[in-house]
Amino acid sequence: YGYAISLDVKEIQVSILDMDRSELSRDFIDSIVSSGYFRIFSSRDSVFRVDEDIKSNNASLGIIIYPDFQRRIMRGDSSSIQIILNGSNAQSSQYSLNYLMMALKRYGSEILAKKLLADITKYSGITIEEKILFNPLLKSPLYLIPGLIAFVIMVVGAIATTIAIVREKENGTVEQMKLCPISPAILIIGKIVPYFVISLLSSIIMVILSLIFFELPIKGSIIFLLYALIFFLLCALGFGILISSIAKSQQVAFTVAVFATLLPTMLLSGFVFPISSMPEIIQKISYIVPARYFISILRAILLKGSSFSDLLFDVAGLTGYAVLIIAVSIIRVMKRGID
């Protein structure tokens, strides 16, 4: 977890449109890459393609270099570039902008050091034209709310379900439950249904309150949003059932649930800390955290208006995880019981 906790933003994927294709524009691109913060994802031939890279999450930053970039610099006039930021991740966008400003300052110093200008005293520098998509004001709540929803679902779904079942063991009522003329699967479903309903209502209430108090937009499908909430909730409930079949006391169940659900949801899902900035091994581990897929889907639905087909990888990961964890949990309970 210590390796995952980092507010630094690294490996920022950049989509570039170089309409100048000059020596200075190529030097500018090389200067950005050599800063260590940026990585070129693609070189495009139109602004539309750059926008598509941003909308599809393939790139976090788009840079457009105008055709007169070198000519204006050599003449001593102010030259400008356009940057397109993915505002759905407010924190990363702000860091990206700061890093780009530092890279521009260093590039300007290199130009002066090489004395490429006819009259150095006329050099006016390079200005930035900003275009921020999805969250133009870079409001942090719009970025953090999907993570908060995931966190609440884990608290109500996983931990509450785990403790509720383990409580039967400590109170000595497990034997009475076994005498009921129903199958173990029906028994478990009966125990988790109330928490499913409570968690789903909690999530819907959070979204409604966010719409009212934080002006959270819902640009995508409400049906798709409900689908994501339900399947992530199934992941949380599946964890609760699995832990309850192992733990012998509420204290043990709570401790295991915190380490197995809440901490990964907080630290390894992209909720607070960018996954791209984590060490590669931690990034791979994050694929077993269902909140990673859920938060990505939620941000895309709310802020970008993404459709089901735009998020096939995350949808497949979340759906497969929910089905697998529920199946494994119920099979284990049916074979081993809840003793």
Side-chain angles (χ1 to χ4, degrees):
Y1 289 131
Y3 285 107
I5 300 174
S6 173
L7 292 176
D8 295 330
V9 179
K10 304 175 183 176
E11 296 291 325
I12 300 169
Q13 299 291 325
V14 181
S15 179
I16 287 185
L17 169 59
D18 183 2
M19 293 188 285
D20 194 40
R21 298 184 180 277
S22 63
E23 179 183 354
L24 288 188
S25 67
R26 289 191 294 270
D27 287 345
F28 171 65
I29 295 172
D30 292 339
S31 179
I32 291 175
V33 175
S34 64
S35 68
Y37 295 109
F38 302 96
R39 182 178 178 183
I40 304 301
F41 168 74
S42 63
S43 295
R44 296 304 190 183
D45 55 6
S46 69
V47 177
F48 173 77
R49 297 294 300 276
V50 174
D51 281 342
E52 285 296 308
D53 286 339
I54 303 293
K55 292 177 181 178
S56 61
N57 277 338
N58 289 324
S60 301
L61 176 68
I63 298 179
I64 299 173
I65 303 174
Y66 295 123
D68 58 354
F69 181 79
Q70 177 169 296
R71 179 173 58 83
R72 294 183 67 86
I73 289 179
M74 296 296 292
R75 199 169 57 190
D77 294 340
S78 175
S79 183
S80 61
I81 62 171
Q82 183 183 37
I83 65 167
I84 304 174
L85 290 167
N86 181 356
S88 63
N89 189 330
Q91 176 183 317
S92 295
S93 296
Q94 192 60 57
Y95 279 115
S96 299
L97 183 58
N98 292 339
Y99 294 150
L100 185 59
M101 291 299 293
M102 288 191 294
L104 276 174
K105 184 177 180 180
R106 186 179 66 175
Y107 179 68
S109 299
E110 291 175 356
I111 290 177
L112 292 176
K114 293 178 180 178
K115 300 180 180 180
L116 296 175
L117 307 181
D119 186 351
I120 296 178
T121 60
K122 292 183 179 180
Y123 179 60
S124 302
I126 301 172
T127 58
I128 290 180
E129 300 173 5
E130 296 179 22
K131 177 183 176 182
I132 303 177
L133 304 179
F134 316 126
N135 182 10
L137 299 180
L138 294 180
K139 293 182 178 180
S140 295
L142 302 188
Y143 166 69
L144 294 174
I145 284 171
L148 288 174
I149 294 174
F151 196 77
V152 169
I153 289 178
M154 275 298 177
V155 170
V156 180
I159 295 182
T161 302
T162 300
I163 294 177
I165 296 177
V166 173
R167 187 184 299 121
E168 302 287 353
K169 302 178 184 180
E170 293 191 340
N171 293 339
T173 55
V174 172
E175 295 301 326
Q176 297 177 23
M177 293 172 60
K178 289 181 177 181
L179 294 176
C180 296
I182 55 177
S183 66
I186 298 299
L187 177 63
I188 293 299
I189 291 173
K191 292 292 290 184
I192 68 174
V193 163
Y195 297 101
F196 177 87
V197 174
I198 292 172
S199 300
L200 187 58
L201 289 177
S202 298
S203 304
I204 294 174
I205 290 172
M206 286 187 68
V207 173
I208 293 174
L209 292 177
S210 300
L211 289 171
I212 297 173
F213 294 109
F214 298 105
E215 300 179 354
L216 178 74
I218 301 183
K219 297 182 178 180
S221 167
I222 294 179
I223 301 300
F224 190 15
L225 174 63
L226 187 62
Y227 175 92
L229 290 173
I230 289 175
F231 273 85
F232 182 64
L233 181 53
L234 291 176
C235 291
L237 295 174
F239 265 116
I241 298 170
L242 186 61
I243 294 171
S244 68
S245 68
I246 300 171
K248 299 297 183 181
S249 66
Q250 294 185 57
Q251 183 177 2
V252 172
F254 178 80
T255 303
V256 173
V258 166
F259 279 99
T261 59
L262 293 192
L263 288 179
T265 299
M266 176 68 74
L267 302 177
L268 300 179
S269 64
F271 172 19
V272 179
F273 308 105
I275 294 176
S276 60
S277 300
M278 300 175 187
E280 187 174 351
I281 182 65
I282 304 297
Q283 293 185 38
K284 292 180 179 179
I285 292 174
S286 70
Y287 284 108
I288 65 173
V289 179
R292 173 194 173 116
Y293 308 107
F294 174 70
I295 293 176
S296 177
I297 292 172
L298 213 53
R299 285 174 178 160
I301 294 173
L302 297 176
L303 300 179
K304 299 181 180 181
S306 299
S307 63
F308 194 92
S309 59
D310 295 329
L311 300 164
L312 286 179
F313 175 78
D314 292 314
V315 170
L318 184 64
T319 305
Y321 207 108
V323 172
L324 180 63
I325 194 69
I326 288 289
V328 170
S329 301
I330 291 181
I331 290 173
R332 190 183 191 286
V333 170
M334 291 179 67
K335 289 184 176 181
R336 306 280 298 271
I338 56 174
D339 294 333

